[in-house]
Amino acid sequence: MAGMNEDGQWIVLMGLLAAVGLFFLALVINQSAIVGQTTAEGVIEFPKNDIRDLREAVFDYTDKFRTVPDSDETKKNVQKDIIAISLERKNAVVDFSVGGPQEISGRNLHPIEIRYNNGVTEYHETVYY
């Protein structure tokens, strides 16, 4: 028994090590693909166009009701409509307020505060328009 040939055991052991190495390599490649996918999904999920649409609606609102007093019922209804439409169509909680005119660089501009939250992205902006 002492003179048995053990070369076959080494071949089987090297085959096992190669299989474990390939399994580990496949696992690492699979994880890198998943990480790349979730990164791309994060970029896609950012509602840039939704926020742009909201800003456009708020700026149109400001243009139309710039000189109307805050107590006007039509002005309040339009603001409620913008908030309701954002919630219905985009599933986003939106709130905005338009302040009184302030002189900035020789122009009368209104500070507009916009808040947007769709459960994933929270956005807050103060812009002078």
Side-chain angles (χ1 to χ4, degrees), residues 56-100:
E56 183 181 352
V58 171
F59 293 157
D60 290 344
Y61 167 85
T62 304
D63 286 338
K64 184 165 181 86
F65 296 105
R66 186 179 302 250
T67 58
V68 177
D70 287 339
S71 61
D72 186 29
E73 194 66 30
T74 305
K75 184 175 180 179
K76 290 179 184 178
N77 288 337
V78 170
Q79 185 173 9
K80 287 179 185 177
D81 287 345
I82 291 172
I83 293 169
I85 288 170
S86 293
L87 185 60
E88 180 68 27
R89 293 185 184 167
K90 307 292 185 181
N91 292 324
V93 178
V94 168
D95 188 29
F96 68 93
S97 61
V98 180

